[in-house]
Amino acid sequence: MLTAFRAFSRSKWAAALLVLIAISFVIVGARMDVFSNLGPKHVIDAGDRSMNEAEFRTAFDQVRERLQQQVGRPLTNQELVAENIHVRFLTEQTQQLGFLNWAYKAGIRPGKELIVKQIRQIPAFFNSVTGQFDQQAYEAALAQQNLTPAMLEQDLRDQYATEHFGAAVFAGARVPRIYGALLAGSAFESRDGRWFEVTPAMAGQIPAPTDAQLNAFIQENADRLRAPEFRMVSVVLFTPEASANAPISEDRIRERFEFKKDTLSKPETRSFVTLTAPNRETAQKIAAALRAGQSPADVGRANNITPAAFNETPRSAIGDAATAAAVFGLQANQVSNPVQAGVGFAVAKVTAVQPAAPATLDSAREEMIQELRAEDVKTQTYAKVEKYEAARTAGKNLADAAREAGGRIVDLPPFTKDGKLPNGQALNAPPQIFETAWSLTKGGESDVIDAGQGQYFAVRVNDIRPSALPTLAEVREPLAAQWIQRETMRRLSAKAEELTTRVRNGEDIAAVARSVNAPLTVRTGVIRNQQTQEALGQGVLQGLFGQSKGQAFSQPASQTAYVVGRVDNVRAANPAVAGPLAEQVRPRLTQELVQAMVESSVSAGAQRSKAKNDPAQALSALGLSGGATPAAPAQ
């Protein structure tokens, strides 16, 4: 198929088809422009900020990609919408855009220098040959992520504005001591209590379930018991021959090294500090102070300027050309004259000079060998792919074409849509195999799939095992055990509640315990910690610390028992013990308080901006339909 497409693209028919497509875009585009004059359709409106369908779709695709990495399987927009993830994301984005609109109007505006410096630190934006910042590489790298320079720069401005606002809120914040005291007092409070266990013997023997009861149990737990759909497939793998690992000739190694020598060499770098002043007079004072031996930090404090430090920075990574020329015209410990920069006047002090280090063939030899060997592997692999496609085009089936091309056929074990084996373990295979298998019907054979990194495969679906509930005969024994367990806990719960009611009505808990021949446990000074939980159990702790003095409780103690008890006394924490903890937890409480303050501020900013969204437009952006009405303004 790939070969056929390449052959077609070189034909005269392809050129004619492209002309027709271009004409159709002109016609359709013109009509669309007419309708667009009726007003833009925004998914989010927040004052001067907005998000259209394309921007929302791009942002949501990034969310989906992150979730796919977390769960280890492909996810569709339909699945995410079913979990209301799109609604939560839409709400968060509405709040964020509303806040950023307010922040800009309030004067929280990061300087251009911050944005340029951040961009110039990203290696992907530099030319691999010259080592200099490359505007085309910058735009191409962003385009691969469906971004534009304007979008990235706006995103960086938004990040800085949010971070600076959060830092301002956090500065000097500290919760009152009473907050820590309340938490410490609760942590070191102790309780006295008595309790006993209600065991299955007290609830009576559970008879074996009937077939009717088990079948009903299967239906009640259908979602949990239903086996997923499995697919059995054969995969054609295209792997290189052993000759791909043959020695690489010296001529090829040297030729590749000469081609890449410039990119392998390390350019000359400088470590330096810059201080940018608003006018030339202040910049001259800064230069004089630095030459007099004052540190950049002291000079910056004296002039209310924050120094910017650069460590081992090549000339190409310095955003301002005039500053770069000044820095690379200095030696170590020299200070430049004031330089007219893009914003203000810059003074630079060079702290260290790192000379250029040209690459040598010996140092790069192994890298060149590995690179050439990888290319040979890809070349051999793709030769097999082309031979396979030619055989398929000639009418041969998947198995015959694979044999002719030298491909290897592997039968995979049954797996689910998310790539799980019948035992629940993940099948170690590229996700494209799972996607392809679920796009075919039984007996269907795929075209060659490019899995990236020089890997190709083709899939044939041999059989499909539909999703189904197990028969009673298949699960009788474990199902009967689960049914008995459920009925036992039901009886235990009812018995425990009966005994707890007697305690609540005033009967002494010791007498209640004796009536069912249960040993009574008496404990004083019980505190909440890991050691106590392991010794007494979570149920006892929840009961003791979940009730007031004199109250009775009933809690599950395990999968086969309940606990019934009474809180006899509550003892306040010792101030000498709780006091230090109260101080220790204040920083954490402060952080949580500041986080809540920032979230409230974001919500208030969005409300000031009258931020709103359109859920129906969001669904449309994701290629789905829905009858949702516009959401209420941000609260």
Side-chain angles (χ1 to χ4, degrees), residues 129-427:
V129 176
T130 65
Q132 296 183 350
F133 180 82
D134 189 324
Q135 184 69 24
Q136 290 184 347
Y138 172 46
E139 295 176 359
L142 294 179
Q144 291 179 357
Q145 303 297 322
N146 293 323
L147 296 173
T148 65
M151 292 168 66
L152 174 64
E153 291 160 18
Q154 182 63 61
D155 185 55
L156 291 175
R157 280 193 290 271
D158 292 346
Q159 288 182 29
Y160 274 117
T162 304
E163 291 171 2
H164 290 178
F165 179 82
V169 174
F170 188 80
R174 200 174 187 193
V175 300
R177 284 189 172 86
I178 188 63
Y179 284 43
L182 288 171
L183 186 62
S186 175
F188 286 105
E189 177 185 87
S190 64
R191 304 234 169 168
D192 301 343
R194 292 172 291 167
W195 61 88
F196 63 90
E197 279 196 352
V198 180
T199 62
M202 301 176 191
Q205 183 68 31
I206 305 295
T210 65
D211 286 358
Q213 289 172 320
L214 290 178
N215 280 318
F217 191 64
I218 289 176
Q219 295 302 320
E220 292 170 13
N221 296 273
D223 291 341
R224 178 172 61 88
L225 296 175
R226 185 181 300 277
E229 179 180 319
F230 285 92
R231 299 212 169 187
M232 285 67 79
V233 308
S234 294
V235 179
V236 180
L237 302 177
F238 301 95
T239 55
E241 304 296 340
S243 59
N245 292 321
I248 306 297
S249 70
E250 186 66 22
D251 289 342
R252 291 183 66 196
I253 295 172
R254 186 174 298 280
E255 180 184 7
R256 180 57 55 89
F257 171 74
E258 292 297 330
F259 177 75
K260 299 192 65 176
K261 183 166 59 176
D262 290 340
T263 63
L264 296 172
S265 300
K266 181 181 178 182
E268 180 182 342
T269 61
R270 293 280 197 278
S271 296
F272 60 95
V273 179
T274 62
L275 294 96
T276 303
N279 53 63
R280 185 178 293 277
E281 291 73 21
T282 303
Q284 289 173 340
K285 287 172 54 181
I286 291 172
L290 291 174
R291 291 191 180 106
Q294 296 185 34
S295 70
D298 291 339
V299 176
R301 279 192 294 270
N303 293 276
N304 197 27
I305 295 172
T306 302
F310 298 81
N311 185 44
E312 297 187 6
T313 304
R315 181 168 183 163
S316 59
I318 301 176
D320 185 80
T323 303
V327 168
F328 276 79
L330 301 172
Q331 297 301 316
N333 297 317
Q334 288 186 337
V335 177
S336 74
N337 293 321
V339 177
Q340 175 74 63
V343 178
F345 293 83
V347 176
K349 178 178 181 179
V350 174
T351 57
V353 176
Q354 297 80 26
T360 64
L361 179 58
D362 288 340
S363 64
R365 178 179 297 275
E366 187 59 32
E367 181 181 346
M368 298 300 98
I369 291 174
Q370 295 301 326
E371 185 175 299
L372 290 167
R373 185 159 286 151
E375 289 182 3
D376 290 346
V377 167
K378 291 180 180 179
T379 300
Q380 287 197 15
T381 300
Y382 194 70
K384 289 188 175 184
V385 171
E386 291 185 314
K387 192 172 183 180
Y388 171 85
E389 289 186 323
R392 292 283 284 155
T393 303
K396 294 186 178 180
N397 60 31
L398 179 141
D400 291 340
R403 279 191 293 272
E404 183 173 317
R408 184 162 57 96
I409 299 179
V410 177
D411 291 329
L412 298 183
F415 58 84
T416 62
K417 189 174 184 178
D418 58 354
K420 297 294 179 59
L421 298 170
N423 62 6
Q425 294 183 352
L427 176 62

Side-chain angles (χ1 to χ4, degrees), residues 17-33:
L17 180 60
L18 290 174
V19 171
L20 290 176
I21 292 174
I23 294 173
S24 69
F25 277 143
V26 171
I27 297 172
V28 176
R31 292 176 179 173
M32 292 175 66
D33 288 341

Side-chain angles (χ1 to χ4, degrees), residues 79 184 210 221 299 310 355 382 428 472 497 545 574 588 614:
E79 291 177 287
T210 65
N221 296 273
V299 176
F310 298 81
Y382 194 70
N428 185 18
L472 182 56
E497 186 59 32
F545 288 89
N574 182 346
R588 180 169 62 85
D614 188 339

